[in-house]
Amino acid sequence: MSTPVRTPRRKAEQRAESLEQILDAAEELFSKHGLHGVTVKDIADKVGVHKSLVHYYFEDKQDVFDKVMARRAPVTSGRRMEALDAYEKAANGKPTVEGALRAFLDTDLDTYSTGGEGWRYFGALGAQLNNTPAWGAEVMDRLFDPVVLRLIGLLKQAMPGCPEEDIFWGYHFTTGALTLSLARTGRIDHLSGGLCRSDDFEAIKARMATFMAHGFVGMCESRAAERRKTSPDE
């Protein structure tokens, strides 16, 4: 009885697998050490290949980084955009602050909660980007501004009397809390003596949108009260 001949995988399949392995390794390393703390050799060593293979597929380290971001950023932005669109339609012209925030925050937290460790590395990398002016701000602007401004638009509808600057400040505080959560630093684990875990995305999801909604509304109401006290016309 002859031994069946194994058909070699197509080159396209081998290329796709190699690319994914390199991107997975780079994503994890970038999430832990940042763009400038990782070399092409580090990425190659993580995969278990010679660095020439990385250079075969990518121009340089920056190209690897750009491809890491391009792989997942459109997915998370697209999911949130769809959730915001669906929420606006369901709200029928009467969106609430918490409803808009849930569409934006809960959708993102679900992605990182259920998407596997790769998505969690990407979340930690996004946290670095959001807090690193030198190499992160431009990337965040380019990849995430459309979905953020979509959220801002809904928040303006939900709070028509709130000055725009207060809504933008509210988003600033919200994105800080979100990216700190995605960083999974373990800080809250230590502070709470294990009562809370920084990787417990379900616990974060159960609280964050409600907490932030109260912050938005409270800030706008208190500042409106201050303006009434100081305005000579009221």
Side-chain angles (χ1 to χ4, degrees):
M1 184 175 179
S2 60
T3 303
V5 178
R6 293 183 179 180
T7 303
R9 291 177 303 168
R10 293 178 302 168
K11 287 186 178 180
E13 293 174 339
Q14 294 174 329
R15 174 184 172 84
E17 183 176 306
S18 295
L19 282 170
E20 286 299 300
Q21 289 175 343
I22 292 169
L23 291 173
D24 286 345
E27 185 174 60
E28 179 179 351
L29 291 171
F30 287 141
S31 76
K32 295 176 179 178
H33 308 294
L35 172 62
H36 299 301
V38 177
T39 66
V40 170
K41 185 177 185 303
D42 292 332
I43 297 169
D45 289 346
K46 180 75 174 174
V47 179
V49 299
H50 192 273
K51 67 179 182 180
S52 61
L53 183 65
V54 180
H55 284 297
Y56 176 78
Y57 289 117
F58 302 92
E59 293 181 12
D60 50 25
K61 182 179 68 172
Q62 183 65 53
D63 187 33
V64 179
F65 178 82
D66 291 342
K67 296 296 194 305
V68 165
M69 294 304 301
R71 183 170 62 157
R72 298 196 200 272
V75 177
T76 179
S77 289
R79 288 175 181 175
R80 284 181 287 176
M81 194 72 82
E82 289 176 2
L84 289 166
D85 288 344
Y87 174 70
E88 182 177 35
K89 183 177 180 180
N92 196 26
K94 296 180 180 180
T96 66
V97 176
E98 184 168 349
L101 289 172
R102 285 205 171 278
F104 183 86
L105 294 172
D106 290 6
T107 302
D108 208 35
L109 290 167
D110 282 344
T111 294
Y112 295 107
S113 178
T114 63
E117 196 62 21
W119 270 103
R120 295 193 175 205
Y121 288 136
F122 182 78
L125 177 56
Q128 284 196 55
L129 289 166
N130 206 36
N131 291 279
T132 310
W135 56 273
E138 183 277 330
V139 178
M140 296 295 288
D141 292 346
R142 174 165 43 87
L143 296 177
F144 298 110
D145 273 9
V147 70
V148 170
L149 292 174
R150 183 74 177 88
L151 169 65
I152 295 293
L154 275 176
L155 292 173
K156 289 178 182 179
Q157 290 184 47
M159 297 181 290
C162 188
E164 282 193 20
E165 63 266 29
D166 288 337
I167 294 176
F168 278 103
W169 276 119
Y171 173 75
H172 178 74
F173 305 143
T174 299
T175 191
L178 175 61
T179 52
L180 175 61
S181 297
L182 295 179
R184 296 184 293 153
T185 64
R187 175 72 172 146
I188 194 171
D189 309 50
H190 172 74
L191 286 171
S192 69
L195 185 63
C196 306
R197 299 195 328 274
S198 62
D199 63 353
D200 188 350
F201 288 127
E202 286 302 315
I204 296 168
K205 175 183 170 182
R207 296 163 174 81
M208 183 177 286
T210 301
F211 181 87
M212 292 301 169
H214 282 288
F216 269 99
V217 174
M219 174 178 63
C220 289
E221 288 180 349
S222 65
R223 288 180 56 77
E226 290 173 8
R227 289 192 296 272
R228 286 194 295 270
K229 289 179 181 178
T230 58
S231 174
D233 299 326
E234 297 184 18

